[in-house]
Amino acid sequence: MKARIGEAPRVRSLLCSQNHRQLDQKRSFLTKMIYRASQNVMPNISQTEQVALHCGTIGFDREIFTGSPSLAGLVEKYSPVLTAEESRFLDVEVSHLCSLINDHDVVTQKDFTREAWDYMRDAGFFAMKIPKEWGGKGFSTHAVSQVLCKLATHCFDANATVAVPNSLGPGELLARYGTPEQQEYFLPRLADGTLIPCFGLTGPHSGSDATSLIGSNGVVEERDGVLGVNATFKKRYITLAPVAGVVGIGFDLKDPHNLLEGDGEEGFTVALLERGHPGL
């Protein structure tokens, strides 16, 4: 290529453009090749993950994926503040519970004292997410998080014991989606600690993936005009199971004879069974 001195910048610009195009072509080729290879290695998205991806709303995670998240926007949108009642509970009740628990004794004896159990029930530690109209505390998620953080600094077992009824327990779900009969029966008993809940999801051959419940099955049946579920399951590693009064059993429900008639669906289902239920 021949060029006069005055044309040198234009020539360099053309050469740079050609180099960039070649580099983009190589990058595109490598990216596609790596993507195709990874498709054969990466597992498929499970049904549980698909449901999770389509649930909820978009929050600060959108900012993160832009590559330039605005922390100022995060502070403006989310300003968690404890109410006076929540602050007092954290300072008084939580501090008192910590004084009742010796972490070494809990680990060696594998249990809390009767005084600690009674105080957790009476002070409402198992009812922080249950609305006040049902006898609960009606605390915010931020308040529950602060309580759990403080308990964890003193005794992790206390943290886990309080966390399960306020997260995996059925209280909040019943308050939002339960029938009036379910709410009237369970919520007051969960709020005052008469029923301590646990969540039976993990089994011998499956973990916390709600759509991989190997060996946990239920079939819709009708007996003497009453519609019900015949369930078969094995569970293990269930936190609070030894002391729970009600168990949320997760299983895969089938309705081969269409007895539900559209009032409900097949798939992951939770049944609330009280301790002493026949067959449990």
Side-chain angles (χ1 to χ4, degrees):
M1 179 181 291
K2 295 182 179 180
R4 293 189 293 273
I5 295 177
E7 294 179 343
R10 186 171 67 86
V11 172
R12 285 198 297 269
S13 177
L14 289 173
L15 291 174
C16 288
S17 297
Q18 291 175 357
N19 290 336
H20 279 303
R21 281 197 296 270
Q22 292 174 354
L23 183 61
D24 287 340
Q25 290 173 354
K26 292 180 180 179
R27 183 183 294 116
S28 177
F29 172 76
L30 289 173
T31 300
K32 291 179 180 178
M33 184 174 65
I34 294 172
Y35 179 75
R36 284 195 294 267
S38 65
Q39 280 185 312
N40 299 324
V41 177
M42 298 296 292
N44 295 326
I45 296 178
S46 70
Q47 183 181 349
T48 303
E49 292 166 332
Q50 289 281 10
V51 172
L53 287 171
H54 290 87
C55 287
T57 58
I58 299 174
F60 185 68
D61 48 344
R62 172 185 289 183
E63 293 281 340
I64 295 175
F65 283 102
T66 64
S68 57
S70 171
L71 294 179
L74 177 64
V75 173
E76 291 175 3
K77 186 174 182 179
Y78 302 100
S79 55
V81 178
L82 296 175
T83 65
E85 181 184 2
E86 292 168 344
S87 296
R88 183 187 179 282
F89 188 86
L90 192 65
D91 294 336
V92 179
E93 279 86 346
V94 178
S95 296
H96 183 63
L97 177 59
C98 288
S99 71
L100 296 177
I101 296 174
N102 182 298
D103 189 44
H104 177 267
D105 291 344
V106 172
V107 172
T108 55
Q109 298 176 15
K110 300 181 180 180
D111 201 356
F112 301 111
T113 63
R114 180 61 180 269
E115 183 181 11
W117 276 115
D118 289 344
Y119 186 73
M120 283 188 279
R121 286 187 173 94
D122 297 340
F125 277 88
F126 301 142
M128 290 189 288
K129 293 297 292 180
I130 295 177
K132 290 185 176 181
E133 56 264 33
W134 296 108
K137 294 290 184 183
F139 283 177
S140 65
T141 301
H142 176 59
V144 175
S145 175
Q146 293 299 300
V147 170
L148 297 178
C149 285
K150 187 168 182 176
L151 289 175
T153 64
H154 187 77
C155 175
F156 177 76
D157 291 288
N159 165 285
T161 299
V162 173
V164 168
N166 292 287
S167 56
L168 298 176
E172 188 174 11
L173 287 175
L174 286 170
R176 290 175 178 267
Y177 309 111
T179 64
E181 293 79 10
Q182 290 173 329
Q183 292 173 338
E184 290 174 6
Y185 180 81
F186 282 109
L187 288 178
R189 291 169 172 80
L190 290 168
D192 64 15
T194 299
L195 294 176
I196 295 178
C198 70
F199 185 37
L201 183 60
T202 301
H205 305 292
S206 59
S208 56
D209 186 345
T211 60
S212 298
L213 298 176
I214 301 173
S216 297
N217 305 294
V219 179
V220 180
E221 296 182 358
E222 184 175 1
R223 297 180 182 178
D224 300 325
V226 177
L227 204 61
V229 175
N230 185 10
T232 302
F233 52 85
K234 288 185 179 181
K235 304 294 181 180
R236 67 176 180 179
Y237 306 141
I238 308 303
T239 305
L240 296 185
V243 297
V246 60
V247 184
I249 296 293
F251 58 89
D252 184 24
L253 179 67
K254 299 297 183 184
D255 183 19
H257 303 296
N258 195 30
L259 297 175
L260 293 176
E261 297 180 348
D263 189 14
E265 298 179 0
E266 294 183 320
F268 178 69
T269 302
V270 176
L272 294 179
L273 304 179
E274 289 188 73
R275 180 176 291 275
H277 187 92
L280 179 62

